[in-house]
Amino acid sequence: MSEFAEVLRQLSTAQKPAKGASLYTVFVNRPAGRVLAAVAYRVGATPNQLTVLGALFTFPALAAVALLPPGPTMSVCVGAALAMGFALDAADGQLARRQRSGSPSGEWLDHVLDCAKIVALHLVVLVSFYRFFSLPSPAFLLAPMVFQLAAVVIFFAGILTEKLKRRAPVEGAVPAGSTPALRSVLLLPVDYGLTCVSFLFLGSQQVFLSVYCALLLAHVLFMAAFLAKWFRELS
């Protein structure tokens, strides 16, 4: 047990900076990922295996959203599986840093599966809306499409901006106008983990529709703000 605790301690010193991360990522997902990474380290698993395991939690849960009528038990199972998949997504990077085994192929696999998760998540919501929901208007079928657009653009533009900054360090980047603690709160609505948690409400159509549309609005607003900020920083 002391060895496990020591692995946890070492993992805690090799975390990504909290800057730019939401409250859910900092206080829920990364700590959960740290425990999973420590378990994986003890059993000799590799980061790529954790990445694939995360996908094995995520994609069957998403398939259930498209194929099964939403209900309380199904909602809890889907929300828990998606949250576990996201925690494993944090664990693979932590394990790679602990083992010093990070590789371009591992990073590629991680990003490809992350992109597939984002696209699939909103596709299955669209299918569920069409098959099982009594929507106030057919116009609500556009919500998953717009949400998918905003989420994918934020994901891709964020990765591209980071890569371009590494290649040509940006001088005089625009400083953030808020404290790190406030940024963590403000970024909460666009955290993928919060989107996962929202599926706990899938059994109540009205509640899920309200939460989903609120997160959609946040993603659209943040997409515009992020794109403007990143473009200025690279200019």
Side-chain angles (χ1 to χ4, degrees):
M1 188 65 181
S2 59
E3 183 181 348
F4 182 79
E6 176 60 19
V7 174
L8 275 178
R9 187 194 66 79
Q10 292 175 0
L11 286 168
S12 68
T13 63
Q15 295 292 301
K16 290 182 178 180
K19 180 181 179 181
S22 84
L23 286 177
Y24 182 91
T25 290
V26 173
F27 293 108
V28 178
N29 202 57
R30 286 181 181 173
R34 187 158 59 244
V35 173
L36 294 171
V39 172
Y41 181 79
R42 289 294 303 275
V43 302
T46 67
N48 283 353
Q49 288 172 338
L50 287 186
T51 302
V52 173
L53 182 60
L56 292 177
F57 272 93
T58 299
F59 290 111
L62 294 179
V65 174
L67 298 174
L68 302 176
T73 302
M74 178 263 220
S75 303
V76 171
C77 291
V78 167
L82 293 178
M84 175 60 77
F86 190 39
L88 285 163
D89 189 45
D92 60 9
Q94 296 185 47
L95 181 62
R97 288 189 291 275
R98 175 64 180 83
Q99 295 178 336
R100 293 180 173 85
S101 59
S103 65
S105 62
E107 185 176 2
W108 178 89
L109 178 64
D110 185 47
H111 287 327
V112 168
L113 287 177
D114 283 347
C115 186
K117 291 175 188 177
I118 294 172
V119 173
L121 186 146
H122 300 292
L123 283 177
V124 300
V125 171
L126 175 61
V127 173
S128 184
F129 278 2
Y130 181 78
R131 295 187 64 194
F132 306 120
F133 275 61
S134 299
L135 297 174
S137 165
F140 279 88
L141 292 174
L142 295 173
M145 301 180 193
V146 178
F147 203 151
Q148 183 185 79
L149 172 65
V152 171
V153 168
I154 290 172
F155 176 77
F156 174 77
I159 291 177
L160 180 60
T161 301
E162 182 181 351
K163 296 296 182 184
L164 292 174
K165 284 183 177 180
R166 288 178 185 174
R167 190 172 66 185
V170 178
E171 297 182 1
V174 178
S178 56
T179 65
L182 180 57
R183 282 201 300 274
S184 293
V185 175
L186 293 176
L187 289 170
L188 190 57
V190 290
D191 192 309
Y192 175 78
L194 194 64
T195 303
C196 294
V197 171
S198 72
F199 280 80
L200 294 173
F201 303 106
L202 189 63
S204 174
Q205 293 190 8
Q206 185 174 0
V207 174
F208 180 76
L209 185 62
S210 299
V211 171
Y212 187 82
C213 288
L215 293 176
L216 159 62
L217 178 60
H219 274 72
V220 171
L221 294 176
F222 272 87
M223 177 182 68
F226 284 149
L227 292 180
K229 175 180 180 292
W230 291 332
F231 184 80
R232 288 198 305 269
E233 289 179 351
L234 292 171
S235 296

